[in-house]
Amino acid sequence: MQSSALLPVLFEVLPRVARIAAYIAVGVFAANLVVAFGLVERIAGLSRYLTSPANLPDEVGTAIVTTAASTTAGYGMLAEFRESGVLDDRATLVAVTINTFFGFVQHIFTFYWPVLIPILGREVGFMYVGARAAIALAITATGVVAGAVLLSDRNTTPVAVAETDGSGGVGDAAASADDSADADDTDDSLREAVEDAARSTWTKLRRIVPRLAVVYVVVTLLLRTTDLESFAALASPLTNLVGLPGAAVPVVVAFAFDTTTGAATIAPAVGETFTPKQAVATMLIGGIISFAVSTFKRSIPFQYGIWGPEFGSKVIAVNTGLKIVFIAVAVALLVA
């Protein structure tokens, strides 16, 4: 491949990878520190109402709380807990599912409230955000039920005895903090715990970031040579199936590729072409179509970068499958 074709891709990908790597570093570093300094009990108190019924350890509660501020950092914490043996694959999938609502919460304050509701108007805006919140909450509840049914002590390991890969991690950080406490030297304890957390974070980043960068470059190159508009061909059958007006098709297409543009497209037609319920259903269908696009553009590089292809594919399948199922239920209720 000619360098003239590759350079623009690198300029597009590298800032994105750097930003994600920074958030992952925060998540992994924080995961080690909250365990090392015994902060799990304080941070995870409220989330224990979710983690306890789901048979998950308290440490997962710190990832849930973190996800409300940064989804990437929350995923970084879960990746650290999986790497250190606190969670096995099944428990990690349950934790990822429970995280869904808390990942949604941050978007209320960064996008839905300041951007989308003013475009759509109060009635349609609150209906749409409420529908998305209900969908996210239903997925989180599904994760809690799945944990209660599918998980036991065999799927998790208390952090105090969790084995690591020998390169430093949650278990190492906790052990280091205990040793320092026995030495009754607070300054050394603090420094040693921070150093262990930093080493573990650097080890994880050295493994994750190159994989993340490679997958993003490959996907971006494919996007430049693939016509993703073909996904929009799914819009017409879906809108016809649920009985939406023909004008829903261009809205779905616009919404699938850019949420703000889709909202601006449908807003003037509410009350004339669309009822408020039909408008919300149309936008939700646009969300279903967008999963095909966003999975290819963002989810695959991000999830593969954090978990690797095998487990990353499982995370994508669970996330996408549950979202499509509950969006379909919401659409059915709106058009009934």
Side-chain angles (χ1 to χ4, degrees):
M1 178 180 295
Q2 295 181 350
S3 59
S4 58
L6 184 59
L7 284 176
V9 173
L10 292 177
F11 283 124
E12 177 182 345
V13 167
L14 291 180
R16 187 183 309 165
V17 171
R19 184 173 63 254
I20 293 174
Y23 281 117
I24 292 173
V26 169
V28 173
F29 188 74
N32 283 282
L33 288 185
V34 296
V35 173
F37 295 127
L39 300 178
V40 171
E41 290 293 326
R42 301 178 185 178
I43 296 175
L46 293 176
S47 60
R48 190 173 290 118
Y49 292 105
L50 297 174
T51 56
S52 180
N55 295 317
L56 291 171
D58 290 344
E59 289 78 19
V60 175
T62 63
I64 290 175
V65 172
T66 301
T67 300
S70 168
T71 304
T72 307
Y75 267 74
M77 295 183 91
L78 289 179
E80 175 67 2
F81 293 142
R82 177 173 175 261
E83 289 280 341
S84 65
V86 174
L87 304 173
D88 69 1
D89 285 359
R90 180 182 294 182
T92 303
L93 285 173
V94 169
V96 167
T97 303
I98 293 175
N99 263 6
T100 301
F101 179 75
F102 298 89
F104 169 83
V105 167
Q106 63 168 300
H107 296 300
I108 294 177
F109 303 102
T110 60
F111 177 68
Y112 290 123
W113 185 272
V115 178
L116 207 63
I117 290 178
I119 293 174
L120 293 172
R122 183 173 299 178
E123 181 181 9
V124 176
F126 278 111
M127 283 180 63
Y128 176 73
V129 175
R132 292 303 300 263
I135 290 165
L137 189 59
I139 294 173
T140 289
T142 299
V144 174
V145 173
V149 174
L150 300 176
L151 299 184
S152 66
D153 292 342
R154 292 176 297 178
N155 303 106
T156 62
T157 304
V159 69
V161 297
E163 296 180 358
T164 69
D165 56 8
S167 58
V170 172
D172 290 340
S176 295
D178 289 342
D179 292 342
S180 298
D182 292 339
D184 197 23
D185 190 335
T186 303
D187 291 338
D188 286 347
S189 174
L190 173 63
R191 182 171 58 253
E192 191 170 344
V194 170
E195 289 175 353
D196 282 345
R199 280 194 295 269
S200 177
T201 301
W202 175 243
T203 300
K204 299 298 185 295
L205 288 179
R206 281 193 305 176
R207 184 174 65 255
I208 290 174
V209 172
R211 184 169 59 202
L212 192 69
V214 169
V215 178
Y216 260 119
V217 168
V218 171
V219 168
T220 304
L221 288 172
L222 289 174
L223 287 174
R224 291 176 179 268
T225 58
T226 303
D227 181 18
L228 291 180
E229 295 291 338
S230 59
F231 286 112
L234 297 172
S236 183
L238 285 175
T239 55
N240 291 336
L241 179 65
V242 298
L244 292 173
V249 175
V251 174
V252 169
V253 173
F255 205 88
F257 289 93
D258 183 77
T259 303
T260 305
T261 301
T265 302
I266 201 171
V270 176
E272 298 180 2
T273 306
F274 299 93
T275 66
K277 287 186 177 181
Q278 287 177 329
V280 174
T282 298
M283 290 186 288
L284 290 177
I285 290 176
I288 292 178
I289 304 296
S290 72
F291 286 140
V293 179
S294 63
T295 295
F296 187 68
K297 293 174 65 175
R298 291 183 290 274
S299 293
I300 289 177
F302 175 69
Q303 303 292 0
Y304 281 20
I306 289 183
W307 311 106
E310 183 179 356
F311 189 72
S313 296
K314 295 179 182 178
V315 172
I316 292 170
V318 170
N319 280 341
T320 304
L322 287 173
K323 285 178 182 177
I324 290 177
V325 167
F326 284 107
I327 286 178
V329 171
V331 170
L333 292 173
L334 286 166
V335 301

